[in-house]
């Protein structure tokens, strides 16, 4: 697994844990930063994970609005928490990280959904991110 893929997984962990525990994302990020300080060998994955989570903090309302708008028949609350985390990461990468092509952001999100979530999640994540990508093509 590449360092960037590990970082995505780490970002999803932070997004998911904050959501599940009902704590502010900034607090979950600070907790992870403390843990990361004691793991210098994982610094490469931490730096990008932090960038993703900071981006979701900065653009969370817009990201959630896009997810809500294009997730026909699904509310954010109805989605599994891990799917919300994966989608938030994927939307952030597509819209706010010009270094990551949309196809890569979608593929990485689908891979994470396949590993971490339900049998139907990968297809759901793929379809939803593809719709959002087409709607906001840049």
């Amino acid at each position: 697994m590449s360092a960037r893929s590990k970082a995505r997984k780490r970002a999803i962990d932070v997004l998911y844990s904050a959501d599940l525990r009902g704590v502010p994302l900034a607090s979950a990020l600070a907790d992870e930063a403390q843990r990361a300080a004691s793991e210098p060998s994982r610094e490469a994955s931490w730096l990008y994970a932090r960038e993703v989570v900071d981006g979701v903090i900065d653009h969370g309302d817009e990201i959630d609005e896009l997810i809500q708008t294009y997730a026909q028949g699904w509310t954010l609350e109805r989605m599994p928490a891990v799917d919300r985390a994966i989608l938030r990461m994927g939307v952030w990468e597509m819209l706010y990280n010009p270094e990551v092509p949309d196809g890569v952001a979608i593929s990485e999100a689908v891979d994470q959904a396949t590993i971490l979530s339900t049998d139907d999640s990968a297809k759901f994540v793929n379809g939803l991110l593809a719709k959002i990508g087409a709607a906001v093509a840049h």
Side-chain angles (χ1 to χ4, degrees):
M1 182 182 290
S2 74
R4 184 135 308 172
S5 293
K6 288 177 186 175
R8 287 181 179 101
K9 168 67 169 76
R10 200 166 183 173
I12 290 166
D13 289 346
V14 174
L15 295 168
Y16 172 76
S17 70
D19 192 6
L20 202 61
R21 294 183 301 147
V23 300
L25 199 43
S27 296
L29 184 60
D31 291 346
E32 185 63 16
Q34 280 187 321
R35 201 171 97 202
S38 68
E39 300 175 328
S41 64
R42 295 177 62 196
E43 183 178 12
S45 70
W46 165 242
L47 295 175
Y48 188 65
R50 180 179 200 117
E51 184 179 344
V52 171
V53 176
D54 276 336
V56 172
I57 290 170
D58 291 345
H59 303 285
D61 291 340
E62 300 97 326
I63 291 169
D64 283 356
E65 184 177 322
L66 282 168
I67 294 169
Q68 192 70 36
T69 298
Y70 292 97
Q72 297 169 334
W74 286 82
T75 62
L76 277 170
E77 296 76 24
R78 187 173 165 221
M79 294 174 197
V82 70
D83 290 2
R84 285 193 300 267
I86 292 167
L87 288 165
R88 287 171 174 150
M89 178 203 63
V91 172
W92 178 81
E93 281 194 314
M94 290 168 56
L95 269 56
Y96 301 104
N97 188 347
E99 296 174 12
V100 177
D102 288 358
V104 171
I106 293 169
S107 177
E108 288 284 337
V110 169
D111 287 349
Q112 292 297 326
T114 300
I115 295 166
L116 300 171
S117 197
T118 70
D119 291 341
D120 296 327
S121 291
K123 183 177 176 184
F124 176 73
V125 166
N126 184 54
L128 183 50
L129 290 178
K131 281 184 198 175
I132 291 170
V136 297
H138 37 280

